[in-house]
Amino acid sequence: DSSRNGFSFKGIKDYLECYRSGKLTPSQVAKNIIAMLEDCDKSTPPLRAIVQWDQEQIMLMAEASTARYRNKCTLSYLDGIPVCLKEEFKVVPYHHRVGTVYLGTEPETEDATVAKKLREAGAIIIGVSNMHELGTGTTGCNPNKYHKIPRNPYKPNHFTGGSSSGSAAAVAAGLCPVAIGTDGGGSVRIPSSFCGVVGLKGTFGRISCHGSLPLSYSTVSVGPICTSVADAAIVYSILAEPDPLYPYGLKQPKATLSDMCAPDLKGLKLGVDWTFFKACDAEVLSVCEKAVKHLQSLGASVVEICLPEMEEARVAHVICILSEMRDFLQPDFNKHFQEMNLDTRANLALASQFTALDYITANRQRTRSMGFLREIFSTVNCILTPAVPSTAPRIYESDLSTGSSDMSFTVRSMRFMQLGNFTGIPGLVVPVGYSTAGLPINLQVMAKWWDEAVLLRIGLKLEQFRSQTKKPSIYYDVLA
């Protein structure tokens, strides 16, 4: 619990207090959200966070939750909590478009595992959220007719980041305290950082990907985007477990939240490769360095480490993710080339240049990188980096019609993200401050495989570093 002066985002706890005290019911909250979704679509510019929603569906789930509160038989901490899922997931009865104009021509009849679990927990699914077309970029820029460009709630003329763009925008704008995204090259953590919210990428296989489009089977993890670390822990504890329909996570150890609420960080060793850490904008570096000092003041020790072969790992990650996407999307590329956004075409065309030999060599590098990390994690509990080297980039007029393709930005934005996707280790990004222009800055914590608990423990303490939370310029108070 962090009661602070000034603005604070409304989280799960605030919703539960309203429901339990009878101040508001899930049905009243749902009506507020429907009014706000209508407003988002009409505003100038439109927020474009949620791209498909259905009033009737929202009210059905909300009324069922209201009845459970009345009869004191709620299903979980997520009962009555509004959530959205990235359009990459199948969610009944929406179209599974995955950011395109040509997929999902019929409404979905089967839920992805995470959608099913959220329903079973009593959550109110308010719709599916916008995303970068086929997850192929880190800006969130998607100019096609069904999607348009989601706006950063802190500065609407800036990008949200991608590819889970609408998920982060929906949470930062207050439409829902919880959203679900996928992360193959920073796609949960980049938009969370640009929009000033918390993003967790689970260990590879920890949360089931079943029912999402299998764009890249070796790099993608699922994770929650929330307004606080405590909320991320709640969602993680509900979603993280083996799924018989998703073979990659079957042998996972049990998810725990052990020591998450320890009073300090005594005994924890935080690894920092300062050369790697400092490869970011001056404003980002200054805030992130102070955040590291804050963790030290709580009893953790900072250990200098060396992350070897990071350039090799970066190139190898790109080869793996693009080769797998190109393989899966080969029929789409041949059949729907004309309907794809220009930057999607460029990325898939680039991917076709990689050879089988490149892919094999890249996977040998993966084995090496995982070996280095095993050694590093025998001496430290986690690795700290800035989340993204810069703040959210501006949206230009031309981006609205033709999209945006800036390879140097894409490469740079993924700099601190790729290690987690390439080797499968979990990562958490937490807001730690703002640039002079008022754009959010996040710090990233990564831990060894299956050790999300230590990320959440450090994340809780990291949240206390930021003296104030700035209110986004687009913000809906659903509980008001």
Side-chain angles (χ1 to χ4, degrees):
D1 177 21
S2 54
S3 44
R4 280 205 208 101
N5 307 332
F7 172 79
S8 62
F9 285 106
K10 297 289 194 287
I12 292 173
K13 184 169 162 282
D14 302 293
Y15 282 83
L16 294 181
E17 275 172 2
C18 282
Y19 297 159
R20 287 169 181 169
S21 67
K23 192 177 133 197
L24 280 172
T25 64
S27 298
Q28 288 165 308
V29 162
K31 283 183 183 133
N32 290 351
I33 291 171
I34 289 162
M36 288 159 185
L37 288 170
E38 284 168 348
D39 184 71
C40 287
D41 287 345
K42 290 194 201 99
S43 61
T44 319
L47 180 64
R48 298 307 292 157
I50 307 291
V51 287
Q52 298 182 57
W53 56 278
D54 181 302
Q55 187 169 339
E56 200 181 325
Q57 290 290 324
I58 297 170
M59 287 314 298
L60 277 173
M61 286 180 263
E63 280 154 11
S65 176
T66 301
R68 289 191 293 271
Y69 275 98
R70 200 173 27 237
N71 301 323
K72 299 201 167 26
C73 61
T74 52
L75 299 169
S76 78
Y77 284 124
L78 289 184
D79 207 326
I81 304 297
V83 304
C84 69
L85 291 97
K86 184 179 185 177
E87 202 181 54
E88 200 169 316
F89 294 100
K90 293 180 176 180
V91 183
V92 179
Y94 302 110
H95 295 267
H96 187 217
R97 290 191 179 119
V98 200
T100 70
V101 293
Y102 64 83
L103 287 172
T105 50
E106 295 297 314
E108 211 40 62
T109 53
E110 198 183 335
D111 275 331
T113 298
V114 284
K116 188 164 152 281
K117 277 180 151 339
L118 289 168
R119 279 190 214 276
E120 287 165 357
I124 302 171
I125 298 174
I126 65 166
V128 293
S129 45
N130 206 341
M131 63 178 286
H132 204 106
E133 186 178 57
L134 296 167
T136 55
T138 60
T139 56
C141 181
N142 188 350
N144 73 39
K145 66 178 179 189
Y146 289 137
H147 297 87
K148 300 286 175 249
I149 296 180
R151 302 297 179 139
N152 190 318
Y154 273 94
K155 280 204 183 282
N157 59 341
H158 286 248
F159 283 118
T160 54
S163 63
S164 309
S165 49
S167 298
V171 171
L175 292 172
C176 52
V178 174
I180 307 297
T182 59
D183 189 315
S187 287
V188 158
R189 293 162 294 156
I190 293 169
S192 298
S193 306
F194 282 166
C195 294
V197 291
V198 172
L200 172 66
K201 177 197 96 69
T203 304
F204 177 76
R206 178 62 108 178
I207 298 172
S208 174
C209 274
H210 176 75
S212 70
L213 199 71
L215 292 165
S216 163
Y217 49 83
S218 76
T219 65
V220 175
S221 296
V222 177
I225 296 174
C226 301
T227 54
S228 71
V229 174
D231 286 5
I234 290 171
V235 181
Y236 166 74
S237 67
I238 286 172
L239 296 181
E241 64 174 1
D243 172 12
L245 300 170
Y246 185 64
Y248 299 120
L250 288 178
K251 296 270 191 285
Q252 61 177 277
K254 193 162 171 45
T256 72
L257 300 176
S258 58
D259 290 337
M260 181 175 148
C261 298
D264 53 38
L265 297 176
K266 285 193 178 113
L268 287 185
K269 294 187 171 120
L270 318 175
V272 180
D273 177 332
W274 285 110
T275 311
F276 186 58
F277 191 101
K278 287 178 175 171
C280 58
D281 292 357
E283 277 192 301
V284 173
L285 179 61
S286 154
V287 172
C288 289
E289 281 180 329
K290 288 182 189 131
V292 174
K293 287 202 175 80
H294 165 74
L295 296 176
Q296 264 179 301
S297 74
L298 293 167
S301 54
V302 171
V303 179
E304 277 206 44
I305 57 169
C306 166
L307 292 168
E309 300 181 9
M310 285 308 289
E311 182 55 20
E312 288 82 348
R314 181 185 75 74
V315 173
H317 166 262
V318 170
I319 291 169
C320 286
I321 189 168
L322 280 178
S323 298
E324 290 168 9
M325 288 174 97
R326 175 67 204 229
D327 167 54
F328 179 71
L329 294 169
Q330 184 66 34
D332 298 45
F333 191 71
N334 293 339
K335 199 168 153 204
H336 297 286
F337 182 81
Q338 293 304 333
E339 295 160 273
M340 289 176 172
N341 289 339
L342 296 172
D343 71 313
T344 309
R345 295 184 208 176
N347 284 319
L348 291 175
L350 170 70
S352 68
Q353 301 304 302
F354 298 132
T355 63
L357 186 61
D358 293 331
Y359 186 70
I360 291 165
T361 311
N363 275 293
R364 286 188 176 140
Q365 178 62 45
R366 192 188 316 241
T367 307
R368 285 178 67 84
S369 296
M370 289 171 84
F372 296 139
L373 284 178
R374 262 186 213 100
E375 279 171 47
I376 290 167
F377 285 126
S378 68
T379 60
V380 298
N381 299 90
C382 71
I383 297 170
L384 301 179
T385 70
V388 194
S390 63
T391 52
R394 263 200 62 197
I395 298 171
Y396 291 96
E397 198 57 39
S398 62
D399 300 338
L400 302 175
S401 50
T402 52
S404 157
S405 182
D406 181 344
M407 281 299 185
S408 64
F409 169 77
T410 305
V411 167
R412 192 159 184 257
S413 63
M414 298 197 312
R415 179 181 177 88
F416 300 119
M417 301 283 141
Q418 291 171 287
L419 187 63
N421 295 114
F422 188 47
T423 62
I425 58 172
L428 176 74
V429 296
V430 179
V432 286
Y434 304 91
S435 68
T436 45
L439 285 161
I441 293 169
N442 283 31
L443 186 82
Q444 173 172 242
V445 195
M446 293 181 283
K448 68 177 183 291
W449 300 269
W450 316 113
D451 197 6
E452 287 87 351
V454 78
L455 295 183
L456 296 162
R457 176 182 171 185
I458 295 164
L460 277 179
K461 296 290 179 268
L462 200 49
E463 275 182 316
Q464 298 164 2
F465 166 70
R466 195 174 57 171
S467 55
Q468 55 143 179
T469 303
K470 289 194 158 101
K471 186 177 177 180
S473 62
I474 300 175
Y475 184 74
Y476 294 95
D477 188 347
V478 172
L479 299 178

